């Protein structure tokens, strides 16, 4: 998988996060994934619901809730392993160096506190500024993201705004302490097309203008196409394919990646073609097959796929694929990049 380049801001190596259920069964939500992130990059992690994307995001911050537990791997942030840090050390990094934007913005803020007070408390916890400077910096951050009346937002409660507006406010909160990495967990799923476009534009601006690195968690290839520089495709808690966005979109190698791309409902590309659907259902995470986790749904399946788990192979300097029989496939007639 990606090498341990000193220029990498984040290196995740062989991460395994399992949930130990009361009946003795083990749910392998994340089962041995690796990836890297440099300054100013946006890594899109894409896959169906239940593929392990959100658990991956929480694992990076080492805040997986019980009965989940990180059982193996390393998460190196600027060369330091977050998994061996104390809770006190982690608190200094969460929200300050690495921040998280949640899928449901309406549950991320305290409904009984003014928005300004919540911003104020966040910056106060991660800085030594006096109260006057803290408020100035909060208002400055809110204004920097295009809000015309930051003072009104400061004095308002979360219930005063729509979910889409609150999500934009959450992005302002996420960058308040000028983090080096922002993790966005399905930030546009419940929002309309117009608000979704605004959110993605704001995130892309953070990357291009401020050099913020972004991890975008989503099931939507349209979102990935708009903001990501490279992509990791997850299925069954594992990495199926990894590489630069354009290369992966135009010449995918894994049958699952191909299926996801062919399933994108683009009107321009579907005038004469029937929309493709991947047959079958995702595997039960507490009863994963011994071979390839995608074998039961794969149109290219072979005997080896049913008995042997495919390793993540390096195809070239930047491309990786977990498949016994990588496919030669060109999607130029399937999707518009």
């Amino acid at each position: 998988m990606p090498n341990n380049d000193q220029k990498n801001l984040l290196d995740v190596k062989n991460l395994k996060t399992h949930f130990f259920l009361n009946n003795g069964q083990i749910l392998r939500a994340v089962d041995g994934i690796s990836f890297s992130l440099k300054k100013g990059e946006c890594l899109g992690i894409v896959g169906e619901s239940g593929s392990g994307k959100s658990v991956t995001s929480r694992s990076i911050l080492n805040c997986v809730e019980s009965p989940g537990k990180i059982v193996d791997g390393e998460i190196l942030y600027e060369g330091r392993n977050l998994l061996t840090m104390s809770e006190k050390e982690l608190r200094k990094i969460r929200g300050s160096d690495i921040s998280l934007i949640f899928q449901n913005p309406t549950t991320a803020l305290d409904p009984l506190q003014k928005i300004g007070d919540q911003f104020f408390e966040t910056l106060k916890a991660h800085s030594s500024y006096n109260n006057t400077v803290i408020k100035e910096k909060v208002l400055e951050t809110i204004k920097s993201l295009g809000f015309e009346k930051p003072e009104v937002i400061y004095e308002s409660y979360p219930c005063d705004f729509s979910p889409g507006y609150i999500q934009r406010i959450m992005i302002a909160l996420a960058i308040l302490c000028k983090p080096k990495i922002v993790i966005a967990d399905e930030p546009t799923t419940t929002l309309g097309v117009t608000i979704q476009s605004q959110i993605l534009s704001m995130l892309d601006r953070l990357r291009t203008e401020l050099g913020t690195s972004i991890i975008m968690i989503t099931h939507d290839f349209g979102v990935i196409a708009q903001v990501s520089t490279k992509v990791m495709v997850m299925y069954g808690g594992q990495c199926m394919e990894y590489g630069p966005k354009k290369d992966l979109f135009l010449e995918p190698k894994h049958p699952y990646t191909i299926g996801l791309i062919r399933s994108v409902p683009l009107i321009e590309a579907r005038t004469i073609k029937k929309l493709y659907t991947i047959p079958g259902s995702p595997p039960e995470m507490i009863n994963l097959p011994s071979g390839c986790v995608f074998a039961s749904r794969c149109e290219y399946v072979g005997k080896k796929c049913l008995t042997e788990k495919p390793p993540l192979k390096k195809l070239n300097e930047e491309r990786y694929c977990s498949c016994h029989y990588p496919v030669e496939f060109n999607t130029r007639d399937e999707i518009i990049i």
Side-chain angles (χ1 to χ4, degrees):
M1 209 30 195
N3 58 38
N4 186 19
D5 189 334
Q6 291 301 314
K7 294 181 181 179
N8 289 341
L9 187 60
L10 183 73
D11 277 296
V12 176
K13 300 181 179 181
N14 195 38
L15 176 64
K16 295 183 180 181
T17 303
H18 297 170
F19 286 76
F20 297 85
L21 308 182
N22 291 333
N23 58 8
Q25 293 179 307
I26 301 175
L27 190 155
R28 294 172 172 81
V30 177
D31 202 26
I33 65 167
S34 301
F35 60 86
S36 63
L37 189 69
K38 290 182 172 63
K39 180 181 179 180
E41 284 187 329
C42 177
L43 170 66
I45 302 180
V46 64
E48 294 171 274
S49 297
S51 60
K53 307 185 301 298
S54 292
V55 176
T56 297
S57 68
R58 283 157 178 74
S59 297
I60 292 171
L61 289 171
N62 199 0
C63 58
V64 180
E65 296 181 354
S66 180
K69 183 178 180 182
I70 299 173
V71 298
D72 197 7
E74 292 182 311
I75 300 175
L76 303 177
Y77 168 65
E78 295 186 327
R80 298 174 292 165
N81 191 355
L82 300 183
L83 301 183
T84 60
M85 290 184 179
S86 66
E87 186 61 28
K88 183 178 180 180
E89 290 174 311
L90 283 171
R91 281 198 298 268
K92 293 179 180 179
I93 291 177
R94 295 180 187 137
S96 178
D97 289 27
I98 306 175
S99 62
L100 177 62
I101 302 171
F102 294 96
Q103 177 177 348
N104 189 347
T106 58
T107 62
L109 292 174
D110 185 342
L112 302 180
Q113 260 194 318
K114 290 182 179 180
I115 291 173
D117 291 340
Q118 297 181 62
F119 273 65
F120 188 96
E121 290 178 2
T122 299
L123 187 54
K124 190 174 184 64
H126 293 286
S127 73
S128 56
Y129 299 128
N130 62 44
N131 292 353
T132 301
V133 174
I134 289 176
K135 184 172 182 178
E136 289 175 354
K137 289 189 174 294
V138 168
L139 293 173
E140 180 184 305
T141 300
I142 295 173
K143 187 176 181 179
S144 71
L145 289 181
F147 294 101
E148 296 181 356
K149 298 180 179 180
E151 296 86 358
V152 173
I153 294 174
Y154 194 97
E155 295 297 332
S156 300
Y157 290 89
C159 63
D160 294 329
F161 302 105
S162 68
Y165 205 89
I166 288 294
Q167 188 64 292
R168 293 173 60 197
I169 292 172
M170 286 302 301
I171 293 176
L173 180 58
I175 69 167
L176 179 61
C177 299
K178 300 187 180 344
K180 296 180 180 179
I181 299 174
V182 171
I183 303 172
D185 188 0
E186 300 273 12
T188 62
T189 298
T190 60
L191 307 179
V193 176
T194 302
I195 298 299
Q196 174 176 298
S197 179
Q198 292 175 357
I199 297 297
L200 296 180
S201 294
M202 290 173 75
L203 290 171
D204 197 46
R205 178 187 161 197
L206 295 181
R207 183 183 68 81
T208 57
E209 295 183 9
L210 303 180
T212 306
S213 301
I214 297 173
I215 298 177
M216 174 67 71
I217 310 290
T218 183
H219 63 274
D220 189 335
F221 255 110
V223 171
I224 292 295
Q226 185 170 338
V227 300
S228 297
T229 56
K230 58 184 180 182
V231 181
M232 181 172 71
V233 180
M234 287 189 69
Y235 183 81
Q238 301 171 26
C239 174
M240 299 290 99
E241 191 165 358
Y242 177 95
K245 176 188 69 178
K246 188 172 182 180
D247 294 346
L248 188 143
F249 271 34
L250 292 178
E251 296 183 357
K253 301 297 182 183
H254 197 284
Y256 181 58
T257 308
I258 294 170
L260 288 178
I261 292 175
R262 294 173 67 192
S263 301
V264 174
L266 292 181
I267 295 176
E268 300 93 330
R270 307 301 173 197
T271 55
I272 60 175
K273 294 181 180 181
K274 184 179 179 180
L275 182 63
Y276 177 83
T277 58
I278 301 175
S281 303
E284 295 183 14
M285 299 300 289
I286 57 175
N287 188 28
L288 292 175
S290 57
C292 175
V293 291
F294 188 63
S296 64
R297 306 177 70 187
C298 182
E299 60 181 292
Y300 305 96
V301 65
K303 290 184 179 180
K304 188 177 182 180
C305 306
L306 302 175
T307 57
E308 296 182 28
K309 179 180 177 180
L312 193 64
K313 299 176 183 177
K314 184 175 183 179
L315 303 179
N316 58 43
E317 192 62 32
E318 297 184 282
R319 293 290 301 278
Y320 297 81
C321 181
S322 177
C323 183
H324 290 304
Y325 312 106
V327 182
E328 292 298 327
F329 193 89
N330 192 304
T331 61
R332 284 175 175 83
D333 295 328
E334 299 284 339
I335 187 169
I336 300 172
I337 302 296

